[in-house]
Amino acid sequence: MKLALAVVLAALLGAPCGGTTTTRLDLNDVTWLWPVPENQEELADVISIDLLQTVGGEDVWSDEQFADLLRVADSDASRVGNQQIQLPAEVRQKSVWKIVAFRVDPTAPGGHEIIRNNFGEQPQLRLVLQPVTLNGNELVVHDIAAHLVYNFLIQEEGGPAQPDRDRFQQIVTDLDQLKAWGQAHEVFTTGEPLGVHPGLRAKVPELGGKVRHFLATHLRAEDLSAMALMGLNGPEPWIFVAMSKFPPGAARFGPVPFLPAQMLSFREGPGVIAPSPVVNNLNAVPSRIPMPASPQDRRGVATAVLFADATIELDQLAVIGTDEAGQPVRDSRIRNRDIPDIIADPTWTAPLWAMIACLRLFVH
C-alpha cells in the first residue's frame, strides 16, 4: 500500500494539469526510507525523535503524546481476544524511538474528486518510528512501529478545516531543493524503485542534516492528528491499534472507538486475522459512503484469505462477497493471486479509483 500511494504521489507531483508532463519528484523524493543501522556509529546517523525539535525548540512529538501512545498500548484498546500488546520496558523511553521513514501525502485520504468531495483534502506528512536499543554492544531493532500523522490544515471559525496550501507548497519546494542538492552530489532518484533512499544508503555527507532540518522546519506537535502502533505479545501475534483525539477537540489521544485493534497470528496454524476485515473495495466509490449495511451488498477482497488458508489455490477465482443466502460469490476475472495487487493499486477500478486529481491547486 505504501508503494502504491508513493507511486500516485510521485505521478501527481510531477504532472501539471494539461500541457507537458515534467518529472520533478520521484518515489524516493516523497518517501524516504533509512537503512537499518548495524552498529552504534550507524545508529548515530539515524534521527532520534526525542532530539527532533522545531526551529523554536519545541518537540515535534511531545512527551504527552508519547505517554498517550504508551497508555493506549497498555489499555484494553490494544487487546484482541486473549492477546494484548506487551511493550517491553526498554522501549518505554522516547529516546530509543528512531525515525525509519517518512512520506508526504498531498491529499489524504485520496486524490479522486469523489473522495475529496466527501472527505475533504488533508495534506499530510507521516513519520514511521521504531525503537532501537542496545544489548551490550549489540543493536536491537525491535519489531514494533509507531506511525505519526501530521496534517497541514487551516481551521476556519464555524467551518470545516481547509488545506493549508501555503505550508504544503513550501514542503514541495523544499523537497525539490533536497532533490536538486542530491543531484549536485551524485545522488539520483529519478527512475529508481522505492527503497532505502540512495543518498542515505551511500552515507552522503550533510544529507542527514538537511533531512533533519526539513523535518524540523515543517513538523509541529500541534499538527499531529493521528497515531498508530504495531506491537507484539511475545514473538507474535502482531497487533495494530489506531489513535486519535476523539471526540474531535479532545486534548489527548485515545483509541478510535470505531476502529478496533486488529491482530495477525500464526500461533495455532495458518494466519488468523481478527476481527475479520470488512471490505467494499470493488464497488464504486459512492457506495462506500456510507459502507453498505447488508453484507450481500459489499463487494471486495482482502489479503486475510491468503494468510488464513495455507492450501489456498492462487489461480482459483477470488471470493468477493456473499449472496442473499450467505453463500460466497466469486469474481469472474479476479484470482486469489491478484488480491495483493488490487489492495495496493488505487487505479484497479479505474476510472472511479484513479488518482486523477490535479495537484496544481497545491503546488503550482
Side-chain angles (χ1 to χ4, degrees):
M1 180 62 75
K2 291 180 181 178
L3 175 58
L5 289 172
V7 170
V8 172
L9 178 59
L12 289 174
L13 286 173
C17 294
T20 303
T21 298
T22 301
T23 300
R24 297 178 60 195
L25 296 175
D26 215 302
L27 297 178
N28 292 293
D29 299 315
V30 296
T31 299
W32 288 64
L33 307 178
W34 270 257
V36 178
E38 297 183 354
N39 51 56
Q40 294 188 49
E41 182 181 358
E42 292 182 357
L43 182 61
D45 294 331
V46 181
I47 301 173
S48 294
I49 191 63
D50 68 315
L51 299 178
L52 185 62
Q53 296 182 324
T54 69
V55 292
E58 299 175 344
D59 290 346
V60 303
W61 194 30
S62 70
D63 292 341
E64 291 79 10
Q65 291 165 345
F66 178 61
D68 288 344
L69 181 129
L70 296 181
R71 176 172 47 80
V72 173
D74 293 337
S75 74
D76 285 342
S78 75
R79 180 184 299 276
V80 180
N82 62 354
Q83 300 291 338
Q84 183 176 3
I85 290 175
Q86 302 291 329
L87 292 180
E90 57 266 32
V91 308
R92 291 177 173 270
Q93 50 186 326
K94 197 169 67 169
S95 60
V96 305
W97 290 77
K98 314 297 181 180
I99 297 177
V100 298
F102 75 84
R103 176 169 63 82
V104 177
D105 188 338
T107 173
H112 192 278
E113 181 181 9
I114 294 173
I115 299 176
R116 290 188 287 116
N117 287 343
N118 282 279
F119 294 106
E121 303 168 9
Q122 299 184 27
Q124 295 178 343
L125 196 158
R126 305 183 181 198
L127 293 183
V128 182
L129 312 175
Q130 279 188 260
V132 183
T133 60
L134 283 172
N135 181 10
N137 292 324
E138 181 182 355
L139 292 187
V140 179
V141 181
H142 294 263
D143 190 9
I144 300 169
H147 293 242
L148 310 183
V149 180
Y150 294 82
N151 283 354
F152 300 92
L153 300 170
I154 299 174
Q155 183 65 56
E156 299 179 352
E157 186 175 354
Q162 299 296 324
D164 191 333
R165 306 188 192 284
D166 290 338
R167 286 185 68 192
F168 192 74
Q169 167 69 71
Q170 190 57 54
I171 288 174
V172 176
T173 298
D174 288 352
L175 288 174
D176 283 339
Q177 292 176 353
L178 279 173
K179 182 181 181 76
W181 186 92
Q183 290 175 334
H185 292 78
E186 303 299 316
V187 176
F188 301 104
T189 55
T190 300
E192 289 292 315
L194 181 62
V196 172
H197 190 277
L200 297 176
R201 183 175 62 238
K203 301 180 182 179
V204 175
E206 300 182 41
L207 180 58
K210 289 185 175 296
V211 177
R212 179 191 293 269
H213 179 73
F214 168 82
L215 294 173
T217 299
H218 296 293
L219 296 180
R220 303 183 309 202
E222 58 264 36
D223 295 324
L224 186 66
S225 63
M227 298 190 291
L229 175 68
M230 189 285 291
L232 300 165
N233 187 348
E236 66 114 327
W238 295 267
I239 299 175
F240 306 80
V241 60
M243 288 159 261
S244 69
K245 292 183 178 179
F246 194 88
R252 303 294 291 269
F253 284 86
V256 182
F258 49 87
L259 290 177
Q262 198 91 20
M263 179 184 72
L264 171 62
S265 176
F266 295 90
R267 285 191 171 187
E268 299 177 1
V272 173
I273 293 181
S276 297
V278 177
V279 294
N280 198 51
N281 49 26
L282 293 179
N283 274 338
V285 173
S287 70
R288 301 177 72 245
I289 309 167
M291 175 80 77
S294 301
Q296 63 265 25
D297 293 330
R298 298 175 184 151
R299 291 292 180 264
V301 293
T303 55
V305 65
L306 304 178
F307 290 102
D309 185 357
T311 64
I312 192 169
E313 296 182 17
L314 295 180
D315 285 322
Q316 187 178 46
L317 291 174
V319 174
I320 62 169
T322 58
D323 59 22
E324 293 183 357
Q327 296 302 307
V329 174
R330 294 187 182 274
D331 192 87
S332 62
R333 62 193 177 99
I334 297 172
R335 302 183 185 277
N336 288 321
R337 68 170 63 254
D338 300 322
I339 292 175
D341 291 332
I342 294 171
I343 299 299
D345 185 357
T347 67
W348 177 264
T349 51
L352 282 178
W353 280 102
M355 300 295 189
I356 57 175
C358 173
L359 202 64
R360 283 190 68 173
L361 69 161
F362 279 114
V363 301
H364 294 292

